[in-house]
């Protein structure tokens, strides 16, 4: 079982970033994630290079300046307190972030070809409850791919980037049934690299933990991971069946998913593991976990 795909907190730190995952460091072609912590009054600038990026507050607020425009992000207290507004910045641009009160900010990136305009993303993102019973979780689809068969203009438009947030109540399983997206099968499955970035809620001051599984699918590199994850950890999924993501009882789990791939279309098409797909048929007979929604998005 490999450990190179589990990056405990601090292992992927680089310069100003507590997490810095690039196509080069991950040894793949498309997906990136940086996590930036700024002190009160702090600022940071970066070049977007050949990638599009979304600046997403994890905790705190900031302003984002790019190409003569400034976006003021209200942010949030923490990933467990609400959804956040965000800013999209295009490739081949210079970006500056500043935070009066300080905070922690995710930069989700994907190599792309089209240069879309910089835009503000409001906090009124689609919030979805997925699964029931102990498989209940909440998905904040702030930069999800358009639904299969839907209008490509639905949701927040990106060229290649797909990014969502998931809240799993303590004791529940998410990313279940295990699924994969490591083959190009038109209309059935997308080829996408994926990053999981975790934050785990503490209980009475005790740090939380969870577990993440990735198993070989017979395609790609044979990625095989069983990791105990804590706040600030990341798991790389270049291929394989991924899931479950297991939240320890008493400790809600948050993860940020960042995906991109070589396909011409920005699709999220998955294949469930054949040994576990049956679990979906049990969901209509069970209620959604009453702890969800953890929060809802504000109206437009």
């Amino acid at each position: 079982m490999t450990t190179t795909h589990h990056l405990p907190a601090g292992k992927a730190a680089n310069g100003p970033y507590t997490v810095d995952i690039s196509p080069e460091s991950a040894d793949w072609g498309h997906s990136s994630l940086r996590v930036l912590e700024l002190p009160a009054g702090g600022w940071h600038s970066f070049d977007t290079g050949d990638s599009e990026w979304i600046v997403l507050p994890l905790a705190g607020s900031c302003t984002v300046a790019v190409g003569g425009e400034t976006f003021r992000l209200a942010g949030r207290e923490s990933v467990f307190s609400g959804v956040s507004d965000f800013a999209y910045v295009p490739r081949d641009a210079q970006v500056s972030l500043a935070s009066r009160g300080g905070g922690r900010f995710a930069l989700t990136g994907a190599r792309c070809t089209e240069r879309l305009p910089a835009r503000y993303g409001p906090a009124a993102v689609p919030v979805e409850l997925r699964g029931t019973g102990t498989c209940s979780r909440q998905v904040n689809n702030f930069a999800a791919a358009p639904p299969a068969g839907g209008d490509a203009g639905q949701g927040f438009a990106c060229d290649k980037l797909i990014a969502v947030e998931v809240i799993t109540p303590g004791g529940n399983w998410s990313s279940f049934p295990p699924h994969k997206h490591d083959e190009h099968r038109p209309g059935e499955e997308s080829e996408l690299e994926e990053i999981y970035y975790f934050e785990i809620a503490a209980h009475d001051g005790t740090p939380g933990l969870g577990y993440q599984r990735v198993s070989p699918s017979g395609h790609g590199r044979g990625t095989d991971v069983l990791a105990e994850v804590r706040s600030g950890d990341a798991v790389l999924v270049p291929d394989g069946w991924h899931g479950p993501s297991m939240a320890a009882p008493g400790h809600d789990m948050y993860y940020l998913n960042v995906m991109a791939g070589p396909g011409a279309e920005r699709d999220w098409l998955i294949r469930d593991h054949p040994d576990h797909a049956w679990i979906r048929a049990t969901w209509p007979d069970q209620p959604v976990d009453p702890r969800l929604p953890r929060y809802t998005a504000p109206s437009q």
Side-chain angles (χ1 to χ4, degrees):
M1 190 173 296
T2 60
T3 58
T4 55
H5 296 98
H6 173 217
L7 305 174
K11 186 172 182 180
N14 182 31
Y17 304 114
T18 59
V19 175
D20 186 5
I21 299 167
S22 66
E24 292 77 17
S25 68
D27 190 25
W28 59 27
H30 307 277
S31 302
S32 297
L33 173 67
R34 299 170 181 168
V35 177
L36 174 70
E37 293 189 359
L38 290 178
W43 65 276
H44 174 70
S45 63
F46 69 99
D47 292 311
T48 60
D50 61 1
S51 296
E52 59 185 345
W53 298 84
I54 282 178
V55 179
L56 176 73
L58 300 173
S61 60
C62 68
T63 59
V64 179
V66 56
E69 295 188 80
T70 299
F71 304 104
R72 302 184 186 280
L73 305 185
R76 53 189 164 184
E77 182 179 348
S78 79
V79 296
F80 297 106
S81 65
V83 295
S84 179
D85 51 358
F86 57 93
Y88 173 93
V89 295
R91 59 170 293 161
D92 302 317
Q94 179 77 23
V95 181
S96 295
L97 278 74
S99 178
R100 178 177 296 179
R104 187 168 61 260
F105 308 95
L107 313 178
T108 66
R111 282 181 170 158
C112 65
T113 54
E114 186 175 355
R115 192 175 192 271
L116 301 178
R119 280 162 293 140
Y120 173 74
V125 303
V127 173
E128 173 190 2
L129 298 186
R130 193 175 295 172
T132 63
T134 56
C135 291
S136 301
R137 61 272 205 185
Q138 174 174 330
V139 185
N140 302 331
N141 290 307
F142 71 94
D151 182 351
Q154 289 181 274
F156 191 84
C158 299
D159 184 27
K160 299 291 186 182
L161 177 64
I162 299 171
V164 302
E165 301 178 300
V166 180
I167 301 286
T168 307
N172 285 7
W173 286 24
S174 58
S175 281
F176 198 78
H179 57 279
K180 75 181 187 75
H181 39 69
D182 57 13
E183 295 181 84
H184 175 61
R185 296 150 50 99
E188 298 180 17
E189 184 177 347
S190 309
E191 184 181 353
L192 297 167
E193 309 152 348
E194 185 164 12
I195 301 167
Y196 279 65
Y197 166 77
F198 295 90
E199 296 198 4
I200 313 293
H203 179 74
D204 289 339
T206 301
L209 74 160
Y211 294 88
Q212 176 68 42
R213 181 75 172 112
V214 185
S215 57
S217 65
H219 297 274
R221 310 177 189 183
T223 301
D224 194 355
V225 177
L226 176 57
E228 182 175 292
V229 293
R230 298 176 181 271
S231 288
D233 287 15
V235 171
L236 307 180
V237 187
D239 54 79
W241 304 106
H242 40 291
S245 304
M246 298 168 275
H251 299 281
D252 291 353
M253 169 187 282
Y254 163 94
Y255 53 84
L256 171 63
N257 288 143
V258 183
M259 292 169 274
E265 302 297 327
R266 181 176 169 246
D267 291 328
W268 183 71
L269 300 175
I270 65 170
R271 179 185 173 196
D272 286 340
H273 195 296
D275 291 346
H276 305 286
W278 61 267
I279 194 70
R280 290 188 187 273
T282 71
W283 292 348
D285 298 327
Q286 303 177 70
V288 174
D289 190 314
R291 294 173 290 178
L292 294 175
R294 177 67 184 252
Y295 45 73
T296 58
S299 60
Q300 293 273 16

